[in-house]
Coordinates of all heavy atoms in Angstrom, one line a residue:
Chain B
V264 N 61.0 142.1 136.7 CA 61.1 143.5 136.1 C 61.7 144.5 137.3 O 62.6 145.2 137.1 CB 59.7 144.0 135.6 CG1 59.9 145.4 135.3 CG2 59.3 143.0 134.5
V265 N 61.0 144.4 138.5 CA 61.4 145.4 139.4 C 62.8 145.1 140.1 O 63.6 146.1 140.2 CB 60.3 145.5 140.6 CG1 60.8 146.5 141.5 CG2 59.0 145.9 139.9
D266 N 62.9 143.9 140.4 CA 64.3 143.6 141.0 C 65.3 143.8 139.9 O 66.5 144.2 140.4 CB 64.3 142.2 141.4 CG 63.5 141.9 142.7 OD1 63.3 143.0 143.4 OD2 62.9 140.9 142.9
A267 N 65.1 143.5 138.6 CA 66.1 143.9 137.7 C 66.5 145.3 137.7 O 67.7 145.6 137.8 CB 65.6 143.4 136.2
A268 N 65.6 146.3 137.5 CA 65.8 147.6 137.4 C 66.3 148.3 138.7 O 67.4 148.8 138.9 CB 64.6 148.3 136.9
I269 N 65.5 148.0 139.7 CA 65.8 148.8 141.0 C 66.9 148.2 141.7 O 67.8 148.9 142.3 CB 64.5 148.8 142.0 CG1 63.3 149.3 141.2 CG2 64.9 149.7 143.2 CD1 63.4 150.6 140.6
G270 N 67.1 146.8 141.6 CA 68.4 146.2 142.1 C 69.5 146.9 141.5 O 70.6 147.1 142.2
T271 N 69.6 147.1 140.2 CA 70.6 147.6 139.5 C 70.9 149.0 139.9 O 72.0 149.4 140.2 CB 70.4 147.6 138.0 OG1 70.3 146.1 137.5 CG2 71.7 148.2 137.2
F272 N 70.0 149.8 140.0 CA 70.0 151.2 140.4 C 70.8 151.4 141.7 O 71.7 152.1 142.0 CB 68.8 152.0 140.4 CG 68.0 152.0 139.2 CD1 66.5 152.3 139.2 CD2 68.6 151.7 138.0 CE1 65.9 152.2 138.0 CE2 67.8 151.7 136.8 CZ 66.5 151.9 136.8
I273 N 70.1 150.5 142.9 CA 70.7 150.6 144.0 C 72.1 149.9 144.1 O 72.9 150.6 145.0 CB 69.6 150.0 144.9 CG1 68.4 150.8 145.1 CG2 70.2 149.7 146.3 CD1 67.4 150.2 145.9
E274 N 72.4 148.9 143.5 CA 73.7 148.4 143.8 C 74.8 148.9 142.8 O 76.0 149.0 143.3 CB 73.6 146.8 143.5 CG 72.6 146.0 144.3 CD 72.9 146.2 145.8 OE1 73.2 147.2 146.4 OE2 72.9 145.0 146.4
Y275 N 74.5 149.3 141.6 CA 75.5 149.7 140.7 C 75.3 151.2 140.4 O 76.2 151.8 139.7 CB 75.4 148.9 139.3 CG 75.8 147.5 139.6 CD1 74.9 146.6 140.1 CD2 77.3 147.1 139.3 CE1 75.4 145.1 140.4 CE2 77.7 145.8 139.5 CZ 76.8 144.9 140.0 OH 77.1 143.6 140.3
G276 N 74.4 151.9 141.0 CA 74.2 153.2 140.6 C 74.6 154.2 141.8 O 74.6 155.4 141.6
T277 N 75.1 153.5 142.8 CA 75.5 154.3 144.0 C 77.0 154.5 144.2 O 77.8 153.6 143.7 CB 74.9 153.6 145.3 OG1 75.1 154.5 146.3 CG2 75.5 152.3 145.6
K278 N 77.4 155.5 144.8 CA 78.8 155.7 145.3 C 78.9 155.5 146.7 O 80.0 155.6 147.2 CB 79.3 157.1 145.0 CG 79.4 157.4 143.4 CD 80.5 156.6 142.8 CE 81.9 157.3 143.0 NZ 82.9 156.7 142.3
D279 N 77.8 155.2 147.4 CA 77.8 155.0 148.9 C 78.2 153.5 149.2 O 77.4 152.7 149.0 CB 76.6 155.3 149.5 CG 76.4 155.1 151.0 OD1 77.5 155.0 151.6 OD2 75.4 155.1 151.6
R280 N 79.5 153.3 149.5 CA 79.9 152.1 149.8 C 80.4 151.8 151.2 O 81.3 151.0 151.6 CB 81.2 151.8 149.0 CG 80.8 151.7 147.5 CD 79.8 150.7 147.0 NE 79.6 150.7 145.5 CZ 78.6 150.0 145.0 NH1 77.7 149.6 145.8 NH2 78.4 150.1 143.7
R281 N 79.5 152.4 152.1 CA 79.7 152.0 153.5 C 79.2 150.6 153.7 O 78.3 150.1 153.2 CB 78.7 152.9 154.4 CG 79.3 154.3 154.5 CD 78.3 155.2 155.1 NE 77.1 155.3 154.4 CZ 75.8 155.1 154.9 NH1 75.7 154.9 156.2 NH2 74.8 155.1 154.2
K282 N 80.0 149.9 154.5 CA 79.7 148.3 154.6 C 78.5 148.2 155.3 O 77.9 147.1 155.3 CB 81.0 147.7 155.4 CG 82.4 147.9 154.7 CD 82.5 146.7 153.7 CE 83.7 146.8 152.9 NZ 85.0 147.0 153.6
D283 N 78.1 149.1 156.3 CA 76.9 148.9 157.0 C 75.7 149.5 156.3 O 74.7 149.4 156.8 CB 77.0 149.5 158.4 CG 77.3 150.9 158.3 OD1 77.6 151.5 157.2 OD2 77.4 151.6 159.4
R284 N 75.7 150.0 155.1 CA 74.5 150.3 154.4 C 74.0 149.0 153.8 O 74.7 148.1 153.4 CB 74.7 151.3 153.4 CG 75.2 150.9 152.0 CD 74.2 151.3 150.9 NE 74.7 151.1 149.6 CZ 74.2 150.3 148.7 NH1 73.1 149.8 149.0 NH2 74.7 150.2 147.4

Side-chain angles (χ1 to χ4, degrees):
Chain B
V264 175
V265 179
D266 289 335
I269 308 302
T271 298
F272 302 160
I273 287 178
E274 301 297 53
Y275 289 81
T277 187
K278 291 290 280 185
D279 181 14
R280 294 304 184 193
R281 288 171 299 134
K282 298 274 175 57
D283 56 355
R284 84 117 170 128

